Amino acid sequence: MRIDAVTIFPEIFNVLDVSLLGKARESGLIDFTAHNLRDFTSDAHRTVDDSPYGGGAGMVMMAEPWALALESIRSSVATESTEDDDAAPAPVLIIPTPSGHVFNQKLARALAPEEHLVFACGRYEGIDERVYEWAAPRFRVLPVSLGDYVLNGGEVAVLAMIEAIGRLIPGVVGNPESLVEESHEDGLLEYPVYTKPSTWRELEVPEVLLSGNHGKIARFRRETQLRRTAKRRPELILDIDPASTNRKDRDLLWHAGFMIEDGRFVPKPESMAE
Ligand code: JD8
């Protein structure tokens, strides 16, 4: 996968030199390049921002440097591909913004097979809205938010997205098995994990995990996943397909406050609360 990120702080992406993603870059599974937006300015001060039309606090990122930077990336793709380049889908342009579609594992899975992702890291109060319009015929534009809190810019969000997407590329994570049993993979939060010693500062590891009884261990882990999800992320229970649960699961979820109505899990009405 080719990944380009345009930013006024390219050094932030040096972190991608280490760990799994660093190895994925060495092995060629990921071809990452950070581009400095200021390289696409023409004034002595390498200006990328100006005051907002309509007034208001802060500054807005100017459209022209963005168009020049994104054009340079788009044109670099075109030259590389063969004569039948109409087959090649336009790169995905992911623009982190607090007003974007919320990033989650489902979106990470949808983006992992893509050949080319371009990230536009904004700063200040954001990027001139006309860049989204200008980019639409040239890229598949995706405004994405990492979550409902405010960051100072897009870079940290892009780092998180590159890690979440990159580790789903075959060969990046050593044992693909470990990808299966993860939070959000089966729509549930993951079960608690333990390692040696079995007694640590008078705290014990749940007995069943030392039993070697794989059936009981699987049941224990499933129940902790269901209870933990019902308690911490009840909205995730509503997305579980009852057909993917057994009677014991449904009993546990009943006592945790959920019943099945029209084939979906729904919160039990207060009147039925235990
Ligand atoms: C891009 C500029 C800062 C945002 C004024 C603070 C994502 N989940 C998320 N929270 N915040 C961002 C994000 C924030 C950004 C930019 C993403 C570019 N800012 C602005 C609007 C309010 N400042 C994000 N993904």
Side-chain angles (χ1 to χ4, degrees):
M1 173 187 282
R2 172 175 171 179
I3 301 177
D4 291 278
V6 182
T7 166
I8 60 172
F9 299 123
E11 62 278 15
I12 286 180
F13 293 94
N14 295 347
V15 69
L16 293 177
D17 297 343
V18 302
S19 175
L20 271 178
L21 293 173
K23 291 190 181 57
R25 294 177 69 192
E26 282 156 21
S27 65
L29 283 168
I30 292 177
D31 162 16
F32 175 82
T33 309
H35 308 262
N36 190 332
L37 183 68
R38 295 191 189 281
D39 295 344
F40 299 89
T41 61
S42 49
D43 66 306
H45 301 294
R46 290 159 65 83
T47 306
V48 295
D49 64 307
D50 207 329
S51 54
Y53 277 121
M59 300 292 272
V60 173
M61 300 191 95
M62 300 150 64
E64 186 58 14
W66 278 105
L68 295 174
L70 295 171
E71 259 167 1
S72 76
I73 291 168
R74 189 73 185 85
S75 54
S76 70
V77 175
T79 47
E80 261 162 31
S81 56
T82 60
E83 59 285 338
D84 64 345
D85 62 6
D86 55 1
V92 179
L93 174 59
I94 298 167
I95 308 180
T97 166
S99 55
H101 306 280
V102 173
F103 185 72
N104 55 25
Q105 192 66 10
K106 188 161 173 268
L107 184 50
R109 276 201 299 269
L111 291 168
E114 288 288 341
E115 278 174 29
H116 188 189
L117 302 180
V118 181
F119 292 93
C121 307
R123 280 273 156 174
Y124 306 96
E125 299 312 302
I127 301 172
D128 187 305
E129 190 69 17
R130 292 168 288 180
V131 172
Y132 292 76
E133 200 178 328
W134 168 87
R138 299 165 175 85
F139 296 88
R140 286 171 285 154
V141 180
L142 203 51
V144 174
S145 168
L146 204 57
D148 298 342
Y149 42 83
V150 180
L151 302 170
N152 288 336
E155 286 82 3
V156 169
V158 169
L159 283 172
M161 288 188 245
I162 289 176
E163 176 149 322
I165 297 163
R167 63 195 300 282
L168 299 177
I169 295 169
V172 170
V173 168
N175 150 13
E177 251 317 289
S178 70
L179 288 178
V180 177
E181 282 194 358
E182 287 175 337
S183 267
H184 309 298
E185 264 316 318
D186 57 1
L188 293 173
L189 301 186
E190 61 204 22
Y191 50 76
V193 291
Y194 304 82
T195 188
K196 297 184 192 66
S198 58
T199 303
W200 173 72
R201 298 189 181 200
E202 292 152 18
L203 296 173
E204 302 294 336
V205 169
E207 196 61 36
V208 63
L209 296 180
L210 309 175
S211 69
N213 180 325
H214 297 300
K216 285 199 174 145
I217 291 169
R219 189 67 221 153
F220 168 80
R221 286 174 167 171
R222 174 74 172 173
E223 291 191 356
T224 48
Q225 281 190 278
L226 290 165
R227 275 199 208 89
R228 179 179 269 191
T229 307
K231 189 159 181 292
R232 298 177 183 177
R233 301 288 305 280
E235 78 279 4
L236 294 179
I237 300 292
L238 311 183
D239 296 337
I240 293 175
D241 174 0
S244 71
T245 64
N246 60 27
R247 192 178 52 68
K248 281 185 179 173
D249 297 342
R250 294 190 288 276
D251 285 354
L252 185 153
L253 288 172
W254 171 267
H255 296 295
F258 296 89
M259 64 185 200
I260 295 173
E261 192 174 76
D262 308 333
R264 308 298 309 161
F265 281 109
V266 296
K268 281 162 54 178
E270 273 316 305
S271 60
M272 295 168 77
E274 294 180 12

